[in-house]
Amino acid sequence: VQLQASGGGLVQAGGSLRLSCAASGRSFSRNIMGWFRQAPGKEREFVAAIGRSGTNTACKDSLKDRFTITRENAKSTVYLQMNSLKLEDTAVYYCAARSLLKDGLASEEKDYAYWGQGTLVTVSS
């Protein structure tokens, strides 16, 4: 599985962005997908995950009111809608996929087998 994240950029605080992650291969609908982020000088952290059908999702508690993960299996794409962006949301955002045999909306990096290259989101004041 190859993942290509896009949609990052410079946005003012309070604004919105939608990140996309396009996956190659025919197995996308069978992969649990996730988003992580890494802010400058910090460790990478879990943002959100979504199940195979898109019905089940999980999100970091502090982001639930502003971030939404969705997927479109017909387009082999997972999205992260980010609203009311704050300065502290500045980070490189990575999409990731669990291997086909793995279940569960995991929140740890080690549980994801495939990673995209990341897309930079910069929130300005």
Side-chain angles (χ1 to χ4, degrees):
V1 178
Q2 292 185 321
L3 304 173
Q4 180 74 38
S6 61
L10 178 64
V11 61
Q12 285 193 325
S16 298
L17 275 178
R18 188 177 78 157
L19 305 183
S20 300
C21 175
S24 66
R26 301 181 179 179
S27 66
F28 178 78
S29 64
R30 292 182 284 163
N31 291 99
I32 292 171
M33 302 296 296
W35 284 98
F36 289 74
R37 69 182 183 181
Q38 186 168 20
K42 295 187 177 182
E43 294 185 350
R44 191 153 55 182
E45 64 174 358
F46 171 75
V47 174
I50 189 166
R52 296 179 177 90
S53 69
T55 301
N56 296 322
T57 62
C59 188
K60 182 179 180 179
D61 284 345
S62 61
L63 302 176
K64 284 181 178 178
D65 292 339
R66 300 187 295 117
F67 287 18
T68 303
I69 186 171
T70 58
R71 68 189 295 162
E72 197 168 353
N73 287 342
K75 294 185 177 181
S76 297
T77 302
V78 61
Y79 305 98
L80 184 68
Q81 178 67 43
M82 305 185 295
N83 299 325
S84 302
L85 283 162
K86 303 177 180 180
L87 297 179
E88 55 263 39
D89 294 320
T90 294
V92 177
Y93 285 73
Y94 299 89
C95 61
R98 300 201 72 186
S99 64
L100 295 179
L101 300 178
K102 300 296 185 182
D103 290 321
L105 303 179
S107 61
E108 296 189 22
E109 290 184 58
K110 65 179 179 62
D111 293 319
Y112 289 81
Y114 308 98
W115 292 82
Q117 86 290 357
T119 185
L120 176 63
V121 172
T122 303
V123 184
S124 65
S125 59

